[in-house]
Amino acid sequence: AGATGLGLVPVLQGYFGLTFEEAVAIIFIQSVLISSAPIVFGEPYAPGWITPALPLALTFILAVDSAGAPVYATGAEKFQVMTAVSLWFALIVFVLGITGLGKLFVHYIPDALKGGIILGAAIAALKRVFVDDAEKFLIPQFWTTLTAISICLLLTFSLPIQRMKAKNRALAIFAGMGLLPGFLVAAIVGPISKEVTYEMADTFFLFPPFMDAWDKVSPFAIGLAPASVFLDPNIILLALMGYVILFGDLITGTEVLRMGEPARRDEKIDVNINRSHLSIAIRNALMAVFAPFFPTQGCLWTGVQVIVVQRWTDGRKSMDSLFSGIASYYVFGVPLLYFCLPLLVLLKPLMGVALSLTLVLTGFACAYVAMGITRTQIERGVALLTAVTLALFAESPWIGMVVGIVATLTMVGFNPPPPQDTAIREAEEDLVESAE
């Protein structure tokens, strides 16, 4: 969990101009806000990033113009844009949540367009790793990154290994450790291939420089973006696409809980979608002020949710309460980690690997979810056209959305499924099954 969060460190250092310590301070604040979902708001979900939206956000914020110059040149400009997107996203989540229109909004988006948005995230993620940032992250640690990606892809998605896990408990436990097996092997391969060099920390505690970070990222220090940025249709579209993905996460988290509830009749779990919207809106608004980086304040980390719920179903002796299980994971596993300097220094050479690994796994998962949402060959063709346009015209997402909408209406038509059989629900159920 800590290494995945720290995957943003090289991005914050390389593209936003923060020091290592300032980047850790930002990630600590984001982790505290994430942890507040179950601890403060009483959410029954293991929260995490809106991961499929991450490559879309990175591609947009790091886009270049026709002359090859960055659209947003300075770190301050990038953080101002992140603040704008986060505030728009918070407003959209709040309004759609309290009015109950969120479900209708997502329901009436055609399957081909939904699939195109999510497949666009997949293409953007893989393009970021293997093309855009290859010289920065992949090539300098090629064998280390390739090893980590291969192991995690096999343990997470390989059907032959899934069948082997059902017969071999040791393999099931090893594969159930998430990204850790890939990191452990990468930590060994790195020094052997001379791509990783470990350092020693000179003290045990790190006290992140929160005020220095504040002066570089907060709108109260660097100012808000101009009105033209807040009213940019591309920024509003990015927030809307994030909401489409977020609502799918809410469905997934709820389905995972419903699967586990029959085994724990002793604890009633209060699932309240309006409360979830309010929690996400508040966290994103606070994040926009203190540590702006969309989309790090979502509702679900699917892998953790599945693991916690599975242990919860083993009974009270294994886990007294679902909330104690989720809360202990986030209190002891995420925020406190960032004060332990020796562990941070140990993970520091592998942070580029963490970012590449996160994006590749996101791209793979988004691709098969998108293909699951689309039902016909024509819908898949429209989704691919939309996705490629979104990825290629990253600095102007409206182009991809216009292409997707026009292609959907002309090639597929507008025929929303009945509410009880929405395509996104079926796709998310497939995602739950694969997560198990």
Side-chain angles (χ1 to χ4, degrees):
T4 302
L6 291 169
L8 285 184
V9 167
V11 174
L12 292 171
Q13 285 185 270
Y15 296 115
F16 287 76
L18 299 187
T19 66
F20 173 76
E21 292 78 9
E22 291 166 349
V24 172
I26 295 301
I27 293 169
F28 174 81
I29 294 172
Q30 293 169 354
S31 297
V32 169
L33 289 173
I34 287 175
S35 302
S36 71
I39 297 170
V40 176
F41 293 96
E43 287 294 278
Y45 310 114
W49 298 348
I50 312 170
T51 311
L54 177 62
L56 295 174
L58 286 178
T59 303
F60 175 76
I61 204 75
L62 302 178
V64 296
D65 59 23
S66 57
V71 176
Y72 305 104
T74 67
E77 289 177 328
K78 293 183 177 75
F79 280 119
Q80 285 176 334
V81 172
M82 282 295 188
T83 295
V85 177
S86 299
L87 289 177
W88 267 113
F89 182 71
L91 179 62
I92 290 170
V93 172
F94 179 76
V95 171
L96 294 181
I98 62 174
T99 60
L101 295 175
K103 186 175 182 179
L104 290 176
F105 171 76
V106 175
H107 173 70
Y108 283 104
I109 296 177
D111 296 341
L113 190 56
K114 289 177 193 168
I117 292 172
I118 298 175
L119 187 59
I123 295 174
L126 298 177
K127 182 171 177 285
R128 176 63 49 190
V129 173
F130 296 109
V131 179
D132 298 337
D133 290 337
E135 293 186 1
K136 196 175 187 68
F137 298 122
L138 177 63
I139 294 177
Q141 296 181 316
F142 179 80
W143 294 110
T144 308
T145 304
L146 182 64
T147 301
I149 289 174
S150 300
I151 290 175
C152 289
L153 279 175
L154 288 172
L155 293 178
T156 305
F157 298 111
S158 169
L159 292 178
I161 290 183
Q162 301 303 316
R163 290 190 287 268
M164 293 170 61
K165 284 164 55 178
K167 302 176 181 178
N168 190 319
R169 180 166 177 78
L171 178 61
I173 294 174
F174 184 69
M177 293 179 182
L179 304 183
L180 184 58
F183 277 112
L184 289 176
V185 178
I188 298 172
V189 172
I192 295 175
S193 62
K194 298 182 179 180
E195 296 173 341
V196 171
T197 302
Y198 297 111
E199 302 174 2
M200 296 294 293
D202 53 5
T203 183
F204 186 81
F205 291 106
L206 170 69
F207 297 97
F210 293 107
M211 291 309 301
D212 291 341
W214 169 276
D215 291 338
K216 292 184 178 180
V217 309
S218 174
F220 288 107
I222 63 176
L224 285 170
S228 59
V229 173
F230 273 91
L231 298 178
D232 185 348
N234 295 309
I235 286 179
I236 300 173
L237 275 174
L238 187 59
L240 283 170
M241 287 189 288
Y243 183 80
V244 172
I245 299 168
L246 171 74
F247 200 89
D249 284 345
L250 284 169
I251 294 174
T252 301
T254 302
E255 291 299 323
V256 172
L257 286 174
R258 286 175 178 168
M259 288 162 52
E261 282 180 337
R264 287 298 300 266
R265 299 295 186 186
D266 59 310
E267 182 176 18
K268 181 175 176 58
I269 304 300
D270 179 23
V271 176
N272 187 321
I273 298 299
N274 288 338
R275 181 190 61 208
S276 299
H277 278 72
L278 182 62
S279 161
I280 295 164
I282 292 173
R283 287 191 283 119
N284 275 276
L286 292 174
M287 181 263 292
V289 173
F290 292 100
F293 202 101
F294 175 81
T296 58
Q297 297 298 316
C299 72
L300 186 70
W301 188 342
T302 306
V304 176
Q305 179 79 359
V306 170
I307 291 171
V308 171
V309 170
Q310 283 180 339
R311 184 168 179 180
W312 176 64
T313 59
D314 290 338
R316 190 172 292 276
K317 290 184 179 180
S318 294
M319 183 178 292
D320 182 62
S321 167
L322 175 69
F323 295 98
S324 66
I326 296 174
S328 63
Y329 179 90
Y330 282 85
V331 168
F332 296 106
V334 181
L336 298 182
L337 165 73
Y338 302 122
F339 289 103
C340 182
L341 186 59
L343 191 53
L344 291 177
V345 170
L346 181 66
L347 291 173
K348 186 176 181 180
L350 299 173
M351 290 178 186
V353 177
L355 177 62
S356 298
L357 180 59
T358 300
L359 290 174
V360 169
L361 292 180
T362 297
F364 190 93
C366 286
Y368 74 69
V369 169
M371 292 297 98
I373 289 176
T374 52
R375 299 186 177 192
T376 68
Q377 293 178 343
I378 300 299
E379 287 183 346
R380 295 187 185 100
V382 170
L384 180 61
L385 178 63
T386 304
V388 171
T389 311
L390 281 171
L392 292 181
F393 295 93
E395 71 282 0
S396 302
W398 68 268
I399 297 177
M401 292 301 293
V402 168
V403 169
I405 292 171
V406 172
T408 299
L409 293 177
T410 56
M411 301 294 292
V412 180
F414 182 67
N415 298 300
Q420 69 273 19
D421 187 33
T422 63
I424 195 169
R425 181 182 179 89
E426 291 183 355
E428 292 299 340
E429 287 175 350
D430 291 341
L431 182 59
V432 172
E433 292 177 4
S434 67
E436 289 185 291

